[in-house]
């Protein structure tokens, strides 16, 4: 699957004049179609969808009990702004308070996205994440997040947590 810009990235590109209105609409249409496909899948297999939701709620509750909802939402939003980061298509609206936090975790649904660990040391946050296809090789990466002018900014880390 090739990387597609998120809706905020599409609007930034449009505002900067790097893409046309038709390209903006095509990109937004692609994201909308993906959402509709997931809604249809959830409706066709409610039991699997229920289990996925329960696992995601459990994971979200575990990580937010340690770090708080505000920090988790900002970590996910910072990760979504990474260039060419495939899970960003599911994370781009993490700061929106009306979207339940568990919706961003994909425990068994393809592609997987798990926030495994957060550490806050010396003003830097290290996030260990796992993402990738269900049947393929999962990618486990560490990102260092620092406070920047626009909130948290994520950088790939050469060091393991």
């Amino acid at each position: 699957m090739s990387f597609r810009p998120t809706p905020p990235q599409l609007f930034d590109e449009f505002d900067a004049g790097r893409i046309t209105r038709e390209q903006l609409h095509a990109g937004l249409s692609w994201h909308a179609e993906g959402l509709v496909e997931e809604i249809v899948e959830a409706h066709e297999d409610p039991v699997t969808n229920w289990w996925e939701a329960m696992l995601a709620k459990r994971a979200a509750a575990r990580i937010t009990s340690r770090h708080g909802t505000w920090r988790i939402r900002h970590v996910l939003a910072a990760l979504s702004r990474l260039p060419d980061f495939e899970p960003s298509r599911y994370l781009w609206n993490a700061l929106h308070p009306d979207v339940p936090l568990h919706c961003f975790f994909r425990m068994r649904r393809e592609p997987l996205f798990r926030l495994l660990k957060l550490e806050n040391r010396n003003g830097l946050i290290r996030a260990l994440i796992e993402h990738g296809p269900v049947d393929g090789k999962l990618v486990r990466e560490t990102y260092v997040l620092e406070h920047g002018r626009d909130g948290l900014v994520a950088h790939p880390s050469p060091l393991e947590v």
Side-chain angles (χ1 to χ4, degrees):
M1 180 181 293
S2 64
F3 175 76
R4 297 278 186 124
T6 63
Q9 291 167 339
L10 287 167
F11 281 109
D12 290 344
E13 292 291 309
F14 178 71
D15 290 342
R18 291 187 285 267
I19 64 172
T20 65
R21 183 173 300 277
E22 292 76 25
Q23 290 170 315
L24 171 69
H25 289 183
L28 293 174
S29 174
W30 182 82
H31 282 283
E33 288 170 9
L35 288 172
V36 170
E37 285 175 17
E38 289 207 3
I39 291 168
V40 169
E41 287 174 12
H43 181 71
E44 290 175 349
D45 192 357
V47 174
T48 301
N49 187 60
W50 182 84
W51 276 110
E52 175 70 21
M54 289 301 108
L55 292 171
K57 285 178 182 180
R58 183 173 161 220
R62 186 180 311 121
I63 198 96
T64 55
S65 71
R66 295 180 190 142
H67 302 284
T69 302
W70 184 90
R71 176 166 288 156
I72 300 304
R73 286 188 180 278
H74 281 80
V75 165
L76 296 176
L79 291 171
S80 78
R81 290 189 294 271
L82 287 168
D84 300 332
F85 184 63
E86 188 61 38
S88 66
R89 77 179 270 208
Y90 300 103
L91 304 175
W92 62 269
N93 60 348
L95 291 177
H96 199 293
D98 290 336
V99 180
L101 193 58
H102 74 272
C103 294
F104 302 107
F105 297 95
R106 301 174 70 88
M107 308 311 287
R108 292 184 181 168
R109 175 182 271 172
E110 179 126 356
L112 298 176
F113 177 81
R114 301 173 183 148
L115 180 58
L116 301 176
K117 186 177 182 183
L118 281 183
E119 286 185 355
N120 190 359
R121 283 194 246 159
N122 302 328
L124 296 176
I125 299 172
R126 291 185 190 274
L128 177 63
I129 65 163
E130 187 174 62
H131 63 92
V134 172
D135 297 333
K137 182 174 169 133
L138 290 176
V139 177
R140 193 175 271 204
E141 297 174 309
T142 302
Y143 289 91
V144 174
L145 293 91
E146 61 184 348
H147 291 279
R149 188 171 54 123
D150 300 324
L152 282 177
V153 179
H155 306 284
S157 172
L159 305 172
E160 282 301 312
V161 174

